[in-house]
């Protein structure tokens, strides 16, 4: 057992920490969110330059040979600055599908563009009626000669407005909610028949509803075996959950620190509110929840390579524990900030919003507690 | 001891229900907690009730009250919640009105109460200041006597819907040498007075419902002082206790749970309606149980008031539990809508776009409402302050 | 709607309150529990004298015409003093079965003895494997000519060591857990074939395991229609739950008051611990939980006469809310008492123990939350 | 960063497991949390380990420690928990031992450490007093110098298992004029000294595991003073931090959850095993998740210690979460046994009857254990005190 970071991981963290601190200040972030583009492609380019976008790919695939712990280090720093750029959809999700399921040709085609920052991906898996079940799909991909024809509607596809390509899940066989019959495809977003409705999300990112109407894609767009995609999706989303948990840990760390600092500055009844024992103990409980979240994120990250049951249990444990911590810390941070906590002006509210939406990504607390029970 | 309604009370319920059905403006039907409305929308029902004589039920009859029993008032709230009506705003009806008829002079009563009853005059509340939140008594806004006028200088904040207000009631320091709660006066200010400036505060849900209000050399005639100079804290406390007693919001939360059940019946989990999921249904049942308890607690408090006790520290319990339930309701709604909690479709208040929502209609404001309602445990005396009050007044510590 | 007590109810409360205060002091209670008998028959006789044991029976049946609200008033006072005498099994349960399901002959036979204090009952319904399901019965009553033959084992029958008679549930038909086929009998405890193992319970009462081996009882022992007993059991246990909730409210009131008083007396760091804001707010939360419990107890009590669904929902709501309050108040009271809270010497621990066992009587929090969901 | 064990560590686990299987006394197998044992039962495993050289793994090797890595110590704990062994009591091994080898003189080390290592000498702790619980520093027991002796007078309480003790370590006030934490000394007392009287305290579970200890003119040679006179508070704080670091009890709670699952597999609900009930299974899963988090938190802390940091305020988190989990475990066990939680079958400690239990064996002490474990959030520095420590040391408030 070893709980230390490597020297390299320490350097990545320090570099990213500096980038976020120096170039991701609050006002710039606010302007980027309000801008037409809604993000900062120049930051994306810098991440590519720093090697961040290529971190988790093998050197053979053109990356830097990092692993899940590196992704954790990166995401924690992103979380601290509430970075909105689409690292998870592009690098963790699309990258994960390519790494674990892609053919040599698919890797060749896409990974270089991800590493260089030229190709941005979104992961279109959620559907209006599917809730958190990856197999509950109404989107279909019908074989038509050597091609597939996609039809359906994907909901809240994070990062899609910025994406050049999409990873899409669709049913190629079986009944709705069957474990078999689910397939995964990689598709250029400008393929004929794809339309989107783009919008801002409550936590300052962008997402789209994506509509597929008789979208014809070649057989080479299939990732993994036809109808066998669910296990791959579960693996990649487990990796995405671990990464997102690390992001939430970063956000919680800052939210907690901001709250402690606010309690030191803000005076009521002639003394700093941080001198009230009730608020002290509540900030201790926030801190304890944060430490719990960090531990569970470590556990999930370190179990990503374990056997399926161990992996899923650890990941679900993390999503449950981090989700509970995120709720507690978000709500308490706002409460202790008082009126200022519910304004748009104070940063704390934005951490609260990010931590709120976190719960609905890749399955909420209830969903993962159920999965944990089913595996126990 | 019983929970039954008398035949007279049942008849009253019918009367109220018919009146609402026949008179409530159609375009404001089932409006829920949204507040993206014009001034006229806010006042429409108030004005109708004013003409009917039902706008200020809890007031003494001589000032426009209805003389209803607590049970009738309970029925009245239930029926309005059932129809999700846009009720008269509290600033006039539940806050400054009772202060004026209790502590004001005859002239003030004659001048100000009719406008509140009719819904013609919109009031706002100037209590909080940037440095004086929970510690209200540390306020710094000053009112300095200058002949027949007070000259007011200072900054108020969290002045809800002040953008529409005709009049405001302000706590100002009239004796700068007095300590904390002494030396404060309760002054009525015409919001059109020169020197009054209202700046909206953007809230984290994206909407604008509160403001910063700047007062710069605002000249106010001395006859706008309510009660005695330097005794304003007494009136402020009176008002806060009144404010809390309505804050439980039982009838509205009941309607909210009905809506939550409708949403959860429409959402699916593993191919079945979400409300059939035991895990989710259990949370709704727990909320219903908490709300049932709060309802009886409020009725017990009302029975105490009817027996002659004023709204006491028990109202702090109603405030704590009421806001906890309101917040939990928005939290469960957010959970129910799942994936579609993320799209931003405008705030709860007046910032929303007119676009058709992404996802189901009920999802459009679920997140914004959840964010917005965090305020309820902060305002009206934060829930921490309420616990301090109970510590002192009920536990005697 | 009316939330006032009648003048008579006020008098009952005052009388009982005095009895508990003057004659049920802590040392006497402790000695009674440790004695061979384990209770105080002389207190029982006094309750009969005061009319308490006859309160809920109609005047025609020899009682005083009281109702559920009277039982609530009585039980709250019993709860304040942790009175161990078997009012619930005898008056609420056995009394309830006789009132709602008894024949004229059965009433004639038993009610007089209950009112006078001469007949003491226990209610034998729980079984080792039945948990909280009244229909999950292994005890059988087989028709044998005009008689029934009872066989089975009843678990934790409260008050049985003191009882002259038992109310027994048994299966006369149907399969285990069927709603139909459940019957209710009244049996003298000294009937041949009944044996018991008696013991003390952790909250200072007495209970027995009751074994029936070919116990022959006459047809007249059947209460209500054969095989149709479940609805009657549900009604009577709902009444017993409302009464037990009132008892818990009384115990919580005292436990809370004791804790506040202790916090005023006990000094640490040179000041009373009641001056620490953290403990203040926790005692406020205890108080709020107590008020919630009282309100739900009122609701359940006032809905006992409503239609079945309304009644069950209100009763389950009370058992859930009072159970949650009892746990919170019991645990916090001990915690705030510190080391003294876990000693046998301080009264608070005994309130805690009573409030703990409360949860397992007539179905715990989970059981009743499930029933509430099923009815919603 | 990884969670894997090296082949050497796996071999170590095998060695430990075999040693326990071959040497642990059969009659004490799977003893769990019960403490109704004789002095010999308590010491049996300790003495075996003493002979093996494994009784004080965390100590420096020169005093008898094993020199194991933190990972080996972790494996050691896990294997002992797996076998539910009766581990050496903490009073000697984790409390006074480290104080003596860190602050004691050569003579004290030579005299006292071997008896702790071998398990021959039983120690008890004289810290708390009736008026000094969480506020330990307000203790009143005095030690007055009289020639070559201290004369000790006072009353200690909560002296765990002092009925068996040979020696005790006591905090006494040696300078009555000094303030609070100053003027306290750390003194070793032979419990057979004239004037020492131990009276059992009956606990609410019915058992006796703690005592009141009265000291009346007890004469103690001055060489029993550890470290400097009036500096005892430093050693006491050192000891408390050490005490907390073991208090998480992760391995024991893991075994406890296994037992809970066994109980819930045997209990029935609606005709099926209770553990198949989603509602109950969910609570067990939540507890497992909390415990998994605590385990990693403890391992992270150990890694920090290995990197040279002593047990710091992080150990307060381990204490809070560890005891919350232990208490929750007993609460769920109580819930699982249902109806049979009510019969009283004797306390957790030495008061139980020899009767065959009413109901299943595992139910016999479920309530008593639940009652007994309420102590864990009170002793060793109450969880409120731990929160105060974190407030100061980690939040910096």
């Amino acid at each position: 057992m070893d709980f230390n970071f490597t020297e390299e991981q320490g350097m990545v963290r320090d570099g990213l920490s500096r980038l976020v601190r120096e170039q991701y200040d609050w006002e710039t972030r606010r302007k980027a969110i309000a801008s037409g583009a809604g993000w900062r492609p120049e930051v994306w380019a810098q991440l590519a330059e720093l090697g961040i976008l290529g971190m988790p790919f093998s050197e053979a695939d053109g990356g830097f040979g990092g692993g899940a712990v590196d992704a954790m280090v990166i995401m924690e720093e992103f979380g601290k600055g509430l970075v909105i750029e689409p690292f998870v959809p592009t690098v963790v999700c699309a990258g994960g599908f390519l790494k674990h399921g892609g053919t040599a040709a698919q890797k060749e085609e896409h990974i270089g563009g991800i590493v260089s920052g030229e190709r941005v991906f979104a992961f279109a898996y959620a559907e209006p009626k599917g809730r958190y079940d990856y197999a509950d799909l109404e989107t279909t991909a019908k074989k038509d000669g050597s091609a597939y024809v996609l039809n359906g509607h994907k909901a809240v596809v994070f990062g899609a407005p910025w994406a050049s390509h999409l990873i899409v899940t669709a049913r190629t066989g079986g009944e709705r909610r069957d474990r078999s019959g689910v397939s995964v495809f990689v598709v250029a977003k400008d393929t004929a028949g794809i339309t989107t409705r783009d919008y801002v999300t409550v936590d300052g990112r962008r997402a789209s509803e994506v509509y597929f109407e008789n979208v014809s894609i070649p057989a080479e767009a299939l990732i993994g075996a036809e109808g066998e995609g669910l296990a791959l999706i579960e693996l990649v989303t487990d990796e995405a959950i671990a990464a997102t948990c690390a992001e939430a840990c970063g956000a919680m760390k800052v939210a907690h620190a901001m709250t402690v600092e606010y309690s030191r500055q803000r005076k009521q009844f002639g003394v700093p509110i941080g001198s009230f024992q009730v608020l002290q103990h509540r900030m201790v409980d926030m801190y304890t929840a944060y430490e719990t979240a960090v531990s569970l994120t470590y556990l999930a990250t370190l179990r990503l390579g374990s056997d399926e049951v161990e992996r899923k249990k650890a990941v679900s444990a993390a999503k449950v524990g981090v989700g509970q911590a995120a709720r507690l810390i978000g709500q308490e941070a706002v409460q202790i900030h008082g009126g200022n906590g519910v304004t748009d002006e104070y940063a704390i509210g934005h951490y609260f919003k990010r931590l709120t939406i976190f719960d609905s990504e890749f399955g909420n607390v209830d969903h993962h507690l159920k999965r944990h029970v089913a595996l126990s | 001891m019983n929970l039954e309604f008398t035949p007279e009370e049942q008849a009253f319920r019918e009367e109220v229900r018919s009146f609402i059905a026949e008179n409530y403006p159609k375009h404001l039907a089932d409006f829920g907690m949204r507040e993206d409305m014009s001034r006229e929308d806010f006042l429409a029902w108030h004005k109708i009730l004013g003409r009917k004589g039902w706008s200020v039920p809890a007031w003494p009859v001589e000032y426009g009250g209805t003389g209803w029993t607590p049970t009738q008032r309970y029925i009245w709230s239930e029926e309005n919640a059932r129809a999700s009506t846009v009720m008269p705003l509290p600033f006039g009806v539940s806050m400054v009105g009772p202060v004026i008829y209790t502590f004001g002079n005859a002239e003030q009563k004659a001048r100000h109460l009719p406008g509140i009853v009719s819904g013609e005059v919109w009031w706002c509340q100037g209590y909080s200041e940037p440095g004086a939140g929970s510690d209200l008594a540390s306020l710094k806004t000053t009112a300095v006597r200058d002949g027949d006028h007070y000259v007011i200088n200072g900054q108020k904040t969290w002045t809800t819907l002040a953008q529409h207000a005709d009049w405001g009631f302000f706590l100002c320091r009239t004796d700068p040498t007095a300590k904390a709660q002494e030396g404060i006066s309760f002054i009525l200010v015409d919001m059109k007075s020169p020197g009054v400036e209202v700046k909206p505060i953007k809230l984290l849900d994206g909407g604008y419902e509160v403001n910063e209000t700047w007062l710069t050399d605002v000249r106010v005639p001395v006859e706008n002082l309510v009660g005695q100079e330097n005794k304003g804290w007494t009136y402020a406390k009176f008002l806060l206790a009144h404010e809390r007693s309505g804050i439980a919001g039982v009838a509205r939360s009941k309607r909210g749970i009905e809506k939550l059940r409708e949403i959860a019946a429409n959402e699916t989990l593993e191919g079945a309606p979400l409300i059939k999921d035991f895990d989710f249904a259990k949370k709704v049942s727990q909320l219903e149980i908490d709300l049932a308890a709060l309802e009886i607690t409020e009725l017990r408090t009302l029975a105490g008031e009817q027996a002659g006790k004023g709204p006491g520290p028990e109202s702090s319990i109603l405030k704590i539990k009421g806001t906890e339930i309101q917040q939990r309701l928005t939290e469960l709604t957010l959970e129910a809508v799942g994936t579609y909690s993320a799209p931003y479709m405008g705030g709860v208040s007046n910032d929303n776009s007119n676009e058709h929502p992404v996802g189901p209609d009920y999802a459009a404001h679920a997140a914004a409402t959840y964010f917005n309602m965090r305020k309820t445990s902060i305002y009206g005396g934060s829930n921490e302050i309420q616990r301090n009050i109970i510590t002192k007044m009920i536990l005697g510590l």
Side-chain angles (χ1 to χ4, degrees), chain A residues 180-210:
Chain A
S180 67
V182 175
S183 301
V184 181
F185 301 92
V186 53
V187 192
K189 204 178 77 172
D190 59 6
T191 307
I194 298 179
T195 53
T196 66
R197 178 177 168 191
D198 301 347
Y199 47 84
V200 183
T201 62
V202 291
D203 54 356
R205 293 180 288 169
R206 296 285 163 108
S208 308
E209 301 298 287
V210 182

Side-chain angles (χ1 to χ4, degrees), chain A residues 200-344:
Chain A
V200 183
T201 62
V202 291
D203 54 356
R205 293 180 288 169
R206 296 285 163 108
S208 308
E209 301 298 287
V210 182
Y211 304 91
F212 299 89
E213 203 181 338
N214 296 322
V215 177
S216 179
I217 52 174
E220 300 80 58
L222 178 70
I223 298 183
E226 185 187 294
E228 307 285 312
L230 192 57
L232 182 60
I233 295 170
E234 287 173 339
L235 172 61
V236 172
T237 49
D238 278 355
E239 292 176 343
I241 288 170
T244 310
C245 284
E247 181 191 4
C249 286
M252 282 189 274
K253 185 174 185 136
V254 173
H256 180 258
M258 274 182 178
T259 305
V260 171
E261 186 52 30
Y262 184 85
S263 81
R264 217 193 298 276
Q265 305 293 338
R266 172 76 174 174
K267 286 192 179 171
Q268 295 277 276
F269 306 102
V271 292
I273 62 171
S275 66
F276 294 118
Q277 197 190 28
V278 154
L279 300 190
Q280 290 175 349
H281 282 207
R282 281 160 60 178
M283 287 187 281
V284 167
D285 290 344
M286 291 165 71
Y287 182 77
T288 310
Y290 162 72
E291 286 290 335
T292 294
V294 169
S295 289
L296 288 170
T297 300
Y298 280 23
L299 182 66
T301 303
L302 296 172
R303 287 271 182 251
L304 285 176
S306 302
D307 73 72
E308 191 183 331
V309 169
E310 278 303 304
R311 183 194 83 216
K312 285 182 173 176
K313 273 185 80 171
V315 168
S316 285
K319 197 63 169 58
V320 168
V322 179
Q324 289 166 337
R327 177 174 302 188
L328 176 84
I329 291 174
Q331 292 181 350
E332 287 286 55
V334 167
Q335 182 70 20
I336 292 172
H337 273 78
N340 291 325
V342 297
T343 64
D344 182 70

Side-chain angles (χ1 to χ4, degrees), chain B residues 265-287:
Chain B
N266 196 57
E267 289 287 322
T268 52
L269 176 71
E270 295 171 8
L274 177 62
I275 195 63
K276 295 290 174 200
D277 175 60
F278 174 68
D279 217 18
F280 193 83
K282 202 174 71 160
K283 296 185 199 182
V284 181
S285 268
Q286 179 74 59
L287 191 62

Side-chain angles (χ1 to χ4, degrees), chain A residues 26-86:
Chain A
W26 204 241
E27 265 319 300
T28 314
R29 177 182 181 277
R30 189 192 292 275
K31 275 182 203 148
I33 290 170
S35 72
W39 69 316
R40 295 172 65 200
E42 74 277 15
V43 168
W44 196 246
Q46 267 184 291
L47 292 175
E49 239 169 77
L50 282 172
I52 300 296
L53 303 184
M55 184 59 69
F57 298 104
S58 71
E59 291 175 25
D61 290 338
F64 302 97
V69 174
D70 301 274
M72 181 175 85
V73 168
I74 292 167
M75 289 302 296
E76 199 191 334
E77 296 307 314
F78 286 166
K80 288 181 189 168
L82 295 187
V83 169
I84 57 175
E85 279 65 29

Side-chain angles (χ1 to χ4, degrees), chain B residues 85-103:
Chain B
T85 63
V86 177
M87 287 297 276
L89 290 163
F91 314 108
V93 173
S94 319
M95 296 182 181
V96 76
V99 170
I100 291 173
Y101 68 63
T102 309
F103 303 105

Side-chain angles (χ1 to χ4, degrees), chain A residues 30 126-133 136 153-156 158 176-177 197-203 205 209 266-270 278-279 282 327 331-332 334-345 348-350 352-354 356-357 359-360 364 366-367 369-370, chain B residues 129-136 138 158 201-206 266-272 274 277-280 283 327-328 331 334-345 355-359 367-368 370-372 374-375 377-378 382-385 387-388:
Chain A
R30 189 192 292 275
E127 298 199 353
K129 300 247 170 236
R131 209 163 188 86
Y132 305 123
D133 182 353
D136 194 346
H153 166 195
K154 291 291 179 179
V156 194
F158 281 103
R176 197 167 154 186
R177 300 182 53 233
R197 178 177 168 191
D198 301 347
Y199 47 84
V200 183
T201 62
V202 291
D203 54 356
R205 293 180 288 169
E209 301 298 287
R266 172 76 174 174
K267 286 192 179 171
Q268 295 277 276
F269 306 102
V278 154
L279 300 190
R282 281 160 60 178
R327 177 174 302 188
Q331 292 181 350
E332 287 286 55
V334 167
Q335 182 70 20
I336 292 172
H337 273 78
N340 291 325
V342 297
T343 64
D344 182 70
E345 189 192 338
I348 195 66
H350 300 270
F352 170 53
K353 290 201 277 190
R354 177 71 196 96
T356 300
I357 295 306
D359 188 46
S360 70
N364 67 0
D366 275 11
H367 175 83
L369 198 46
K370 265 186 192 147
Chain B
E129 298 185 3
S134 289
D135 180 16
L136 193 53
S138 70
W158 316 127
I201 297 173
K202 188 176 183 184
L203 292 187
L204 90 144
D205 67 6
N266 196 57
E267 289 287 322
T268 52
L269 176 71
E270 295 171 8
L274 177 62
D277 175 60
F278 174 68
D279 217 18
F280 193 83
K283 296 185 199 182
Q327 292 182 336
R328 181 70 180 146
E331 195 172 273
L334 186 74
E335 204 177 308
V337 303
T339 308
Y340 279 119
S341 55
Y344 177 64
M345 293 288 115
E355 277 189 283
H356 183 72
V358 170
Y370 169 68
F371 297 144
N372 184 277
R374 300 316 301 174
K375 72 187 176 194
S377 49
I378 296 167
S382 73
N383 287 11
E384 288 80 16
I385 292 291
R387 286 188 171 86
N388 288 347

